[in-house]
Amino acid sequence: MSYTKFEKARLIGSRALQISGGAPTTVDSESSSSLDLAIEEVNKEVVPLTIKKPKVIKLDE
């Protein structure tokens, strides 16, 4: 799925906070930083979070 840079930043920040709080990770990595783990999860698209996007309705003019 394609995310905007703002959505990606929000995903990474939220996931890093969860990991630092003790949540299990979905990737095997040698990194011990919660931020690095969150970035890796988002890049591999295995982050267990979703973003709900509103449907855009185009009006004919």
Side-chain angles (χ1 to χ4, degrees), residues 9-60:
R10 177 62 189 225
L11 275 174
I12 291 169
S14 297
R15 186 61 183 147
L17 184 63
Q18 289 178 348
I19 292 170
S20 67
T25 60
T26 57
V27 293
D28 292 329
S29 180
E30 296 176 6
S31 177
S32 61
S33 166
S34 61
L35 183 60
D36 291 338
L37 288 168
I39 290 170
E40 194 171 335
E41 284 184 352
V42 170
N43 288 338
K44 290 184 178 182
E45 297 182 0
V46 293
V47 64
L49 299 172
T50 58
I51 292 181
K52 291 184 179 181
K53 295 184 181 185
K55 291 184 180 181
V56 177
I57 300 173
K58 294 183 180 181
L59 299 175
D60 293 332

